[in-house]
Amino acid sequence: EAGVAQSPRYKIIEKRQSVAFWCNPISGHATLYWYQQILGQGPKLLIQFQNNGVVDDSQLPKDRFSAERLKGVDSTLKIQPAKLEDSAVYLCASSSMGTLQEQYFGPGTRLTVT
Amino acid sequence: AQSVTQLDSHVSVSEGTPVLLRCNYSSSYSPSLFWYVQHPNKGLQLLLKYTSAATLVKGINGFEAEFKKSETSFHLTKPSAHMSDAAEYFCVVKGEPGGYNKLIFGAGTRLAVHP
């Protein structure tokens, strides 16, 4: 079974530029998550989709971050404009629908904002 | 609100000696708790989970954790460390019961294993 795919793996941009990350979840997984992991910290949930709909985006900085999930499968996370404090690893995870379903994580995209 | 505190940011052990990674939780509800491991340049992987069944939970690669309500702890242990255990370990609590599958991560403990 293929795992969660993410691209790019690494990205370096200057502050005030925009960037987009892509995630392809495990086939059949209805729920998709985006996490932000700042160096030295645990991952923090940014947004959670169930099929096409957003079920939790309470910690997404909506003035600069946006995310969508096309047709309930792939997802993109965008930052515009980027700030220095956005430097982090962005992790995508997916799971079957329901509580306590195991979340499967992708390898992440390491973003450096200079 | 749910939260977890990992008491050590770094733990160093010799190969073949026991591993203890400490985690305390705070929860208004009966919690669901997890341990995840993150190897360099790899995705997070679930080691084990506690969901109000047996208090001693066995996971992959010889790891286990014991849920102690009186101490609000969920420490991760392994009898004998292997070099391949060197990684970052995260204690995790599920958000409010029912609802959606939100996970709240601790800050992590980096485990180093020396020959």
Side-chain angles (χ1 to χ4, degrees):
Chain A
E1 176 181 84
V4 177
Q6 291 188 247
S7 68
R9 292 295 311 275
Y10 305 92
K11 189 75 176 178
I12 300 174
I13 62 172
E14 295 182 352
K15 59 184 179 184
R16 291 187 290 274
Q17 288 186 324
S18 62
V19 65
F21 312 126
W22 173 81
C23 173
N24 180 241
I26 292 173
S27 177
H29 278 185
T31 310
L32 186 147
Y33 316 78
W34 282 103
Y35 290 85
Q36 180 192 57
Q37 185 177 15
I38 293 172
L39 186 65
Q41 300 181 18
K44 179 183 77 173
L45 180 69
L46 291 176
I47 188 167
Q48 178 179 342
F49 292 93
Q50 196 149 290
N51 296 310
N52 289 344
V54 174
V55 298
D56 187 342
D57 63 356
S58 57
Q59 297 192 90
L60 186 74
K62 298 180 186 63
D63 58 334
R64 298 184 300 106
F65 286 63
S66 64
E68 61 180 2
R69 189 175 184 194
L70 305 173
K71 301 180 181 178
V73 182
D74 292 4
S75 178
T76 56
L77 176 70
K78 296 179 181 178
I79 308 175
Q80 182 179 13
K83 292 185 175 181
L84 295 177
E85 58 260 36
D86 298 331
S87 294
V89 176
Y90 291 85
L91 298 166
C92 180
S94 70
S95 72
S96 301
M97 202 182 316
T99 60
L100 295 178
Q101 295 296 321
E102 180 176 350
Q103 295 185 26
Y104 295 83
F105 286 80
T109 296
R110 183 176 298 276
L111 173 68
T112 301
V113 182
T114 63
Chain B
Q2 320 286 79
S3 67
V4 288
T5 302
Q6 293 185 242
L7 301 176
D8 307 291
S9 58
H10 292 84
V11 170
S12 181
V13 301
S14 298
E15 190 174 22
T17 64
V19 175
L20 170 64
L21 305 183
R22 299 182 295 163
C23 173
N24 286 351
Y25 70 89
S26 175
S27 176
S28 305
Y29 312 95
S30 180
S32 295
L33 294 159
F34 311 78
W35 277 96
Y36 275 80
V37 61
Q38 187 174 39
H39 290 275
N41 297 316
K42 290 189 177 181
L44 284 154
Q45 181 183 20
L46 179 66
L47 272 180
L48 49 82
K49 66 180 178 182
Y50 166 77
T51 57
S52 76
T55 56
L56 183 62
V57 182
K58 294 188 183 299
I60 61 172
N61 300 333
F63 284 94
E64 61 182 37
E66 186 172 8
F67 174 75
K68 292 186 176 180
K69 185 176 180 180
S70 60
E71 299 176 10
T72 62
S73 69
F74 190 58
H75 301 335
L76 181 70
T77 60
K78 183 175 181 177
S80 176
H82 192 272
M83 296 296 290
S84 61
D85 294 329
E88 186 94 17
Y89 291 79
F90 294 95
C91 183
V92 183
V93 63
K94 183 179 174 299
E96 67 275 6
Y100 300 106
N101 201 17
K102 180 176 183 175
L103 299 180
I104 299 167
F105 284 74
T109 297
R110 182 166 297 278
L111 175 66
V113 182
H114 302 288

